[in-house]
Amino acid sequence: LAKTTQPISMDSYEGQEVNITCSHNNIATNDYITWYQQFPSQGPRFIIQGYKTKVTNEVASLFIPADRKSSTLSLPRVSLSDTAVYYCLVGDMWSSYKLIFGSGTRLLVRP
Amino acid sequence: NAGVTQTPKFQVLKTGQSMTLQCAQDMNHEYMSWYRQDPGMGLRLIHYSVGAGITDQGEVPNGYNVSRSTTEDFPLRLLSAAPSQTSVYFCASSGGQGSADTQYFGPGTRLTVL
């Protein structure tokens, strides 16, 4: 399983775009990149997933450069309710059931 | 669908007591797992199951037992509770075994061992 490195914490203000970068230098060919969001006292929730280039859904965008050694989760126009911990996970698309969560990035959105 | 449900929501145990944390899912998922989350930390995998009758250890299995007699249920047993097991426990399920399969998490059980 590829090890990931994320910033421990980030601060932002309402209405701003937030970009959280995850480093995964030893990502393997079959690895997918997945981001989860966790609010206090709740279980993590799937946000977005990708393999290469760019993926966008109603919540976020995920940018993956050609070498796939990093990825960036982009949250457009954050609100107070986006205050949460964000986890970047990397694992084999076929057999990596044992997903490893790191410490994540604590995002604080201020008014 | 209720998704992934966990009971109880809160539990206080004394050192040495045993108990079972319940987890159930109604999505017909083959894959289920248990994580623990200590304050300010990420999730650590305790045990997981790839189907009824099949279980395996994760990162921190000591002090915990699991069994999977049905697709729906995946209970976690604490054999002899210790203060180091004070944590929030999350159960998760997914339809496939790869990282491309979304994991669905339950609301958690907050356990305190005195």
Side-chain angles (χ1 to χ4, degrees):
Chain A
L1 297 173
K3 179 178 168 57
T4 61
T5 303
Q6 306 174 230
I8 294 174
S9 63
M10 295 181 68
D11 279 14
S12 183
Y13 291 92
E14 280 192 294
Q16 290 188 330
E17 179 185 71
V18 171
N19 296 308
I20 306 174
T21 297
C22 178
S23 172
H24 28 80
N25 290 323
N26 59 340
I27 190 168
T29 302
N30 286 341
D31 285 349
Y32 262 71
I33 300 159
T34 309
W35 286 78
Y36 283 81
Q37 175 192 54
Q38 185 180 26
F39 297 115
S41 302
Q42 295 186 26
R45 182 175 71 109
F46 172 87
I47 301 177
I48 197 166
Q49 183 179 77
Y51 182 77
K52 62 180 178 180
T53 63
K54 176 183 174 183
V55 179
T56 297
N57 62 23
E58 65 277 7
V59 175
S61 294
L62 178 60
F63 297 93
I64 305 169
D67 66 6
R68 303 202 324 123
K69 293 183 182 300
S70 66
S71 59
T72 299
L73 174 71
S74 180
L75 305 172
R77 299 182 59 80
V78 293
S79 64
L80 297 177
S81 63
D82 291 316
T83 293
V85 178
Y86 293 83
Y87 296 97
C88 165
L89 285 76
V90 175
D92 187 278
M93 69 174 84
W94 301 118
S95 61
S96 179
Y97 183 68
K98 294 171 65 174
L99 291 179
I100 305 297
F101 284 76
S103 297
T105 298
R106 293 183 176 276
L107 173 65
L108 175 62
V109 180
R110 302 177 187 275
Chain B
N1 287 350
V4 179
T5 58
Q6 293 182 237
T7 56
K9 284 190 169 59
F10 301 93
Q11 182 70 50
V12 179
L13 293 177
K14 294 181 179 178
T15 296
Q17 287 185 316
S18 63
M19 79 159 293
T20 299
L21 279 64
Q22 301 292 343
C23 174
Q25 52 91 10
D26 61 0
M27 297 174 282
N28 201 32
H29 284 168
E30 290 292 328
Y31 301 91
M32 298 185 73
S33 57
W34 276 102
Y35 292 85
R36 61 175 287 174
Q37 185 172 36
D38 299 331
M41 306 291 287
L43 284 78
R44 291 186 292 170
L45 183 65
I46 305 172
H47 285 286
Y48 67 99
S49 168
V50 299
I54 307 170
T55 64
D56 205 349
Q57 297 181 348
E59 298 175 80
V60 288
N62 293 340
Y64 307 94
N65 271 358
V66 292
S67 60
R68 185 96 179 270
S69 56
T70 67
T71 299
E72 295 77 22
D73 301 298
F74 191 41
L76 177 73
R77 297 184 188 83
L78 277 70
L79 309 172
S80 177
S84 60
Q85 293 179 304
T86 293
S87 191
V88 180
Y89 291 84
F90 292 102
C91 178
S93 74
S94 69
Q97 66 174 326
S99 63
D101 297 285
T102 302
Q103 291 209 53
Y104 296 87
F105 285 82
T109 293
R110 188 175 297 273
L111 175 67
T112 302
V113 182
L114 303 175

